[in-house]
Amino acid sequence: MSYPAFENLVNILRDDLRRVSAKCRSGAPITAEIIVGMGIRWLAGEKYQSLVDIFDVSRTEHYKCRKDFISALLRNKTLGIKLPKCPEDWEDVRNGFARKSYLQLFHGCCGALD
C-alpha cells in the first residue's frame, strides 16, 4: 500500500477509530495511524507478537485495536465493503475462489481485500 493510500484510509476511518484513554506501553496515545497500520499488517498475515513489538502496545490493546479496525472497515459506507448475507452466499464466494485457484491455493478462501 502506498503512503498516500494509507493516509487516505486513515482519514476515512479516523472518526471511527478515536481512542480516548488507550496508550502504548511507552505512554504515547494509540492513534488512528497505529490502529490502521496494525490492522493492515494483521490482514497481510503478520503475527500478533510482531505487531505488539513493532507498535509497542500490549497484547490486550492489540486485540482491541484489531477489533476496532475491522469494525470501522465494515461500518464505513465510503469503502463499500459488503459481506455475504447467508451461508449459501459464502459458499458461492468460496466456490468462485476455488474455480480461479491454481493448484487449489485458495482452497477454502471466502474473501479478499485489495
Side-chain angles (χ1 to χ4, degrees):
M1 171 180 271
S2 69
Y3 188 71
F6 174 80
E7 284 183 317
N8 188 35
L9 182 59
V10 169
N11 288 330
I12 289 170
L13 299 177
R14 187 177 302 282
D15 289 340
D16 291 326
L17 296 176
R18 297 214 187 273
R19 309 282 305 278
V20 177
S21 61
K23 302 251 186 248
C24 294
R25 290 184 287 205
S26 66
I30 297 176
T31 63
E33 289 81 3
I34 290 173
I35 296 169
V36 172
M38 277 196 292
I40 289 171
R41 289 184 76 144
W42 177 74
L43 287 174
E46 190 78 55
K47 303 288 186 222
Y48 91 88
Q49 187 59 54
S50 295
L51 295 169
V52 164
D53 293 340
I54 291 166
F55 292 97
D56 194 33
V57 296
S58 69
R59 181 177 172 182
T60 301
E61 282 303 323
H62 160 262
Y63 287 119
K64 288 179 185 177
C65 289
R66 186 172 79 187
K67 178 182 171 283
D68 291 348
F69 175 69
I70 297 298
S71 295
L73 281 177
L74 295 176
R75 274 194 315 264
N76 193 285
K77 303 281 188 232
T78 304
L79 298 175
I81 296 174
K82 296 179 178 79
L83 295 176
K85 301 282 189 219
C86 63
E88 293 79 18
D89 292 345
W90 282 106
E91 188 64 22
D92 290 343
V93 172
R94 189 190 68 76
N95 288 334
F97 274 101
R99 280 190 304 276
K100 294 176 187 222
S101 178
Y102 176 71
L103 298 176
Q104 291 297 306
L105 294 177
F106 295 130
H107 177 72
C109 183
C110 59
L113 292 173
D114 184 13

